[in-house]
Structures are given as structure tokens and as C-alpha cells.
Amino acid sequence: MFGATEIDDDTWEDIEALLVQADVGVPTTMSLLDRMRSRVRSEGITRQEQLIEALKEELRGLLIEPTPLNLSGRELSVVLVAGVNGSGKTTSIGKMAYRMRLNNRKVILAAGDTFRAAAIDQLKLWGERAGVPVIAGQPNSDPAAVVYDAVNAAHARHAEVLIVDTAGRLHSNFNLMAELVKVRDVLRKVVPDAPHETLLVLDGTTGQNALSQAKKFQEAIDITGVVVTKLDSTAKGGMLFAIQRELGLPVHYIGIGETMYDLVFFNPTAFVDSLFENGNGESA
Ligand code: GDP
Ligand code: MG
């Protein structure tokens, strides 16, 4: 029969479930489904395969093409790294430092999370693994002072990139944001246009909650880009669509494991394809 279509109510339900389970979020999912319904009508789409291809196109259209980090063309570039506790800041800093060192960049790390001794030791360990120096103070010392020392050390050693780790507990707490602002302001006193990148690290398994976190950090310290971690888990990281749409922030890297090698550039096409794959990398 002419006009026969593979696309029925079940198809739409399956797509809706897939998007919601991938943490794309209900508002984005609903607007995508509306858009797809009208495309199915106007373009005469009848095959599920065509529908998925068109949907992938729409999803890619929602993502910002990543640009390289703004870390060259000056004596010292500074990266401030923020995010809630456990999101993967310290680990991602270690991985980034390793990548930069492989690219022959002279990197130095600042242990701005002085809240716990273990946090300082953890960054030092990553510094050893990545082969880059770490400037640290005593536990519970003022992070702004550590950062100040780190900038001076960076200048003295002719480092090209300084990456600043920060504490992440109590993200809803006024004190944490105030501390981040203070660290940023100290950076600016010594390097007037710093930080050149302010990266927010988001745990890919936290779903839509990541959006409200991102908004709070954005308000306090003007985030310039995002790193999403733990996408080696079953989490799909679909909250990125809402974050990109509402905050206009590019995603630079994704974390895909706990070792030094497990950080890759964000690739919108691969990311969208991964939403449609099951855990074995096969198409759903
Ligand atoms: P921080 O509190 O934001 O500094 O977070 P950490 O860097 O200490 O990371 C918290 C936990 O998440 C650690 O156990 C890390 O090994 C783990 N982690 C960080 N990134 C990834 C990732 O991409 N994949 C996986 N599986 N684990 C990660
Ligand atoms: Mg940490």
C-alpha cells in the first residue's frame, strides 16, 4: 500500500524514552519530538532509519561546535577549574596537564583546594603522573594565597599554562562561591586578563541536576566552557543539550575513565551517535 509507514505510536514512544533516559530532559525532548513530527509530515519520512538520521541531525544542531581552549598567544595562560565535590576536577586537571605536556606545553598546577589534606596530595600525585610541577600550601590555608604563589612560580619558571584546582564542597553555599570569586580576583590582580578559561567540571551521571549547578557557577564566576566526566559509565550525558541551549557554553572535553589517558575532545557527531548506542557500542 502506498503511504505505508514504519513510524507509529510505538516509534514515538521509544524515541521519547530513549531521549529522556539519556538525560536530554523533558523540555528539550518535547520540542525535538514536535520538530520531528513536522519533519516526518513535510519530508514524507516513512522509515525508522530515516527518522533516526533526521533526529540525529536535529540533535547535532543543538550542540555548539567546540573551539580550542584559549590558551596561547600570551606569556602565561590561566585555567580556573570549578565544580562540585566529586565531579572530577582534580582528575580532569591531571589528564589535561598530561595532554598539554605531550604537546610540549610548560604546565604548572595550583592546589587551590586546601580544604582537605587528601585533596592536596591527590593533585600532587596527578602532577607526578603527568610530569608537571604542583604548587601547594598547607591544608586549610587560604586558597587565594596558594594561587598567588602559583602565579609567581609560573612566572619564575616561565610556565605557559597554569591550571588552578579549587574546592567543590557546598556548591549551594555562599562561602564556596565567595571563595571562587576571591581566587579569581587574586588571579586578576597578578594577571589582569586571567583567567583565560574558567572550566566547569560536571559529573555526567548527575543528569538534569547538572544544569542548576552550572547556572550557579555561571552566575558567580563566568564559566567559559565545560568538561563532562564519567561518560564511560552507562550515563549518556544528555544534559549537555540543556546546558548548551540555556547557558551557551561549549563542551571541550569528556572524561571516559580514571586514568591519565581517559580524556578526549568533545565531538558532537560521536556524542550524538553514542546516545543511540547500547552499552556495547551497538546501535539500540
Ligand atoms: P573532584 O572532587 O571534583 O576533584 O573529583 P575527583 O577528581 O577527585 O574525582 C572524583 C572521583 O571520580 C574519583 O574517584 C575519580 O577517579 C572519578 N572520576 C573522575 N573522572 C572520571 C571519569 O571520566 N570516569 C570515571 N569512571 N571516573 C572518573
Ligand atoms: Mg578535587
Side-chain angles (χ1 to χ4, degrees), residues 18-19 21-25 28 32 55-66 202-205 207-208 226-245 249-256 264-278:
L18 183 141
L19 294 173
Q21 273 161 28
D23 292 322
V24 170
T28 308
L32 277 165
L55 175 60
K56 284 185 177 179
E57 229 173 78
E58 293 293 329
L59 285 160
R60 284 194 294 266
L62 295 176
L63 296 172
I64 299 167
E65 276 300 320
L202 294 172
D203 178 336
T205 67
Q208 291 298 307
V226 173
V227 176
V228 184
T229 62
K230 309 185 194 181
L231 291 187
D232 50 313
S233 65
T234 54
K236 298 287 193 182
M239 81 279 196
L240 281 188
F241 292 99
I243 285 169
Q244 299 215 343
R245 190 176 65 174
L249 293 172
V251 179
H252 291 290
Y253 290 112
I254 61 172
I256 51 166
V264 297
F265 283 124
F266 178 65
N267 173 332
T269 302
F271 178 72
V272 166
D273 286 346
S274 74
L275 299 178
F276 295 85
E277 284 162 3
N278 61 30

Side-chain angles (χ1 to χ4, degrees), residues 73-171:
R74 60 183 79 81
E75 208 173 298
L76 175 67
S77 296
V78 181
V79 188
L80 181 62
V81 179
V84 302
N85 214 17
S87 59
K89 289 179 297 302
T90 306
T91 306
S92 299
I93 288 169
K95 294 170 179 177
M96 285 192 282
Y98 173 68
R99 286 185 75 111
M100 289 178 196
R101 196 178 62 77
L102 283 189
N103 288 319
N104 295 312
R105 307 220 64 196
K106 214 164 167 213
V107 184
I108 201 162
L109 307 180
D113 180 357
T114 60
F115 189 59
R116 291 171 305 129
I120 298 171
D121 293 341
Q122 189 195 0
L123 190 73
K124 284 182 177 167
L125 184 60
W126 274 108
E128 274 168 36
R129 285 181 188 141
V132 307
V134 176
I135 304 300
Q138 295 303 313
N140 296 313
S141 60
D142 179 2
V146 173
V147 166
Y148 184 81
D149 288 347
V151 175
N152 287 332
H155 278 138
R157 300 181 193 195
H158 304 290
E160 301 168 70
V161 182
L162 168 67
I163 311 179
V164 179
D165 196 8
T166 63
R169 71 214 174 279
L170 310 175
H171 78 277

Side-chain angles (χ1 to χ4, degrees), residues 183-263:
V183 165
R184 186 201 52 192
D185 291 348
V186 164
L187 281 170
R188 283 193 178 153
K189 269 193 194 134
V190 256
V191 183
D193 55 347
H196 305 95
E197 291 282 356
T198 301
L199 299 180
L200 178 65
V201 178
L202 294 172
D203 178 336
T205 67
T206 54
Q208 291 298 307
N209 186 32
L211 178 63
S212 61
Q213 282 175 25
K215 283 180 178 164
K216 284 176 192 143
F217 281 96
Q218 175 74 316
E219 278 163 25
I221 50 163
D222 295 327
I223 303 299
T224 59
V226 173
V227 176
V228 184
T229 62
K230 309 185 194 181
L231 291 187
D232 50 313
S233 65
T234 54
K236 298 287 193 182
M239 81 279 196
L240 281 188
F241 292 99
I243 285 169
Q244 299 215 343
R245 190 176 65 174
E246 297 203 22
L247 301 176
L249 293 172
V251 179
H252 291 290
Y253 290 112
I254 61 172
I256 51 166
E258 297 187 85
T259 80
M260 200 150 68
Y261 316 103
D262 294 323
L263 187 78

